[in-house]
Amino acid sequence: MKKEKEGGLLLGLVALLAVVVIVALVGVFALQPEETLIQGEAEASEYRVSGKVAGRIEMYLYEEGDQVHKGDTLVIIYSPEVEAKKAQALAARNMADAVNQKAKNGAQHEQITGAYELYQKAKAGEEIYRKSYERVQRLYEKGVVSEQKRDEVEAQYKAAVATVKAAKSQYDMALAGARKEDKAAAEAQVAQVDGILQEVAAAEAERYLLSPCDGEVSELFPKVGELVGQGSPVMSIVDLNDVWFTFAVREDMLSDFAIGSVVEVKIPALGEARYPVVVTHVKAMGTYATWRTTQQNGGYDVRTFDVKCRPQQTIPNLRPGMTALVVEK
């Protein structure tokens, strides 16, 4: 009986010792610091394609997922306002050309002939009045006619002389054509219309939206037939050759992320492979959600920093938005 009690006591001590060991092991593992996971994502340069001309989407030449090259025509916009301005500018150019040509050519042959005939008619009238004046002057000197009659004939003669001068001036102007100032004004009008035509041509070219880079069409915004305003985004292009990773890192862990240092990342979507990346930029994030206390009581607060890293080599099948994990050294 005594031996049975001693055996039970020994068994109880062994069990108690086992429980103590298990609790100690659990405490050791529980008190070990958790592995810090630094998570980020892949990003890429994105371009918003927009135009300077308001209008309706007439045609998309590429769809989402298509590969494009720099300079490719992506979208055609229909703008009736541009077409109307073009018609107005062409009509104004035709009018300006006609005015300019008229100034260069001068008066027509019929106008020159008419001015010459008026000039000759005025000269004939002057000759008649001159002879009448000389005849009346001689009679006045002899006392045959009165002074008033002589004055009337003299006035008619002077009027005829003035008429000849005016007719001669008109004839000379017809021969010379338009004045220098008129020709300059006509040429300036042509130049002004040319400027309007250049403006219309530039607006017409803006109907065709071109790709700013090599990349992939990631998104189309309006549908065909929808109205787009000046500067409104129409399409988004992602440059998959310009990819980087961004991570949110606490400042007490920044010692491993000095600019120029190399770290390894793992991309779950691409398997277990590790890829070296270079830290290129470190920037403090906004204070509204990045402060964290190091201890419940006392200690100090740490901020979170935005860390940008670029891969040292091309990573096949990497897409913007994929999760990236920093591998601890």
Side-chain angles (χ1 to χ4, degrees):
M1 195 70 180
K2 184 177 180 181
K3 289 183 178 180
E4 290 181 357
K5 289 182 179 180
E6 290 178 353
L9 182 59
L10 181 61
L11 183 61
L13 291 174
V14 171
L16 179 61
L17 182 61
V19 171
V20 171
V21 171
I22 292 174
V23 171
L25 291 175
V26 170
V28 169
F29 285 107
L31 292 176
Q32 284 185 349
E34 296 182 359
E35 180 181 351
T36 303
L37 183 65
I38 300 178
Q39 178 178 333
E41 66 175 347
E43 299 184 15
S45 293
E46 185 175 3
Y47 297 86
R48 297 292 183 93
V49 179
S50 59
K52 296 181 181 179
V53 176
R56 297 187 181 276
I57 301 296
E58 182 176 339
M59 181 186 303
Y60 281 113
L61 301 180
Y62 293 91
E63 299 295 333
E64 293 180 357
D66 290 346
Q67 300 295 318
V68 298
H69 299 285
K70 184 176 181 179
D72 288 346
T73 301
L74 304 176
V75 189
I76 300 177
I77 297 177
Y78 172 69
S79 177
E81 291 81 5
V82 173
E83 297 296 330
K85 289 181 179 179
K86 182 179 180 180
Q88 294 173 2
L90 291 175
R93 176 58 191 270
N94 292 334
M95 181 181 297
D97 285 341
V99 173
N100 188 39
Q101 195 63 38
K102 179 180 178 181
K104 289 181 178 179
N105 294 338
Q108 297 182 356
H109 176 70
E110 293 81 2
Q111 292 176 321
I112 296 175
T113 301
Y116 176 75
E117 290 176 352
L118 289 175
Y119 173 50
Q120 296 301 317
K121 179 180 178 181
K123 287 177 64 177
E126 178 197 19
E127 182 65 18
I128 292 173
Y129 282 111
R130 184 183 64 80
K131 292 180 179 179
S132 297
Y133 171 70
E134 291 176 349
R135 193 164 46 247
V136 171
Q137 178 66 22
R138 288 194 295 269
L139 293 175
Y140 170 74
E141 292 173 352
K142 295 179 179 180
V144 177
V145 297
S146 63
E147 182 178 359
Q148 180 179 358
K149 181 65 175 179
R150 193 280 309 268
D151 291 342
E152 291 175 356
V153 175
E154 182 181 11
Q156 292 174 350
Y157 171 58
K158 289 181 179 179
V161 172
T163 302
V164 170
K165 291 181 179 179
K168 179 66 166 56
S169 176
Q170 293 294 325
Y171 176 58
D172 291 341
M173 289 178 61
L175 287 176
R179 294 186 306 174
K180 180 176 65 175
E181 294 81 2
D182 294 335
K183 292 180 180 180
E187 292 176 355
Q189 186 176 1
V190 172
Q192 180 182 15
V193 176
D194 284 342
I196 297 175
L197 284 173
Q198 292 176 4
E199 182 180 357
V200 171
E204 190 173 23
E206 288 294 333
R207 293 180 52 233
Y208 303 89
L209 306 186
L210 308 181
S211 175
C213 66
D214 294 345
E216 180 181 298
V217 178
S218 61
E219 190 174 0
L220 306 180
F221 298 113
K223 295 181 175 60
V224 173
E226 289 186 344
L227 184 66
V228 292
Q230 184 179 11
S232 299
V234 176
M235 177 184 290
S236 180
I237 306 293
V238 175
D239 185 0
L240 297 177
N241 294 319
D242 186 19
V243 182
W244 64 89
F245 299 96
T246 56
F247 300 94
V249 182
R250 294 203 320 262
E251 64 177 308
D252 56 344
M253 303 174 63
L254 281 178
S255 58
D256 295 331
F257 294 91
I259 293 179
S261 61
V262 178
V263 297
E264 288 188 335
V265 299
K266 184 172 64 174
I267 305 169
L270 302 181
E272 295 297 323
R274 299 183 177 188
Y275 304 96
V277 296
V278 180
V279 178
T280 59
H281 182 71
V282 178
K283 177 184 177 182
M285 299 179 67
T287 59
Y288 55 88
T290 61
W291 292 92
R292 180 182 183 275
T293 182
T294 55
Q295 298 179 8
Q296 294 296 328
N297 296 316
Y300 62 95
D301 292 339
V302 293
R303 294 188 63 179
T304 302
F305 283 72
D306 183 36
V307 177
K308 180 185 290 186
C309 303
R310 289 188 176 273
Q312 289 186 317
Q313 59 189 16
T314 302
I315 302 177
N317 302 320
L318 178 62
R319 307 288 300 181
M322 285 185 175
T323 298
L325 305 175
V326 174
V327 179
E328 289 192 355
K329 297 180 180 179

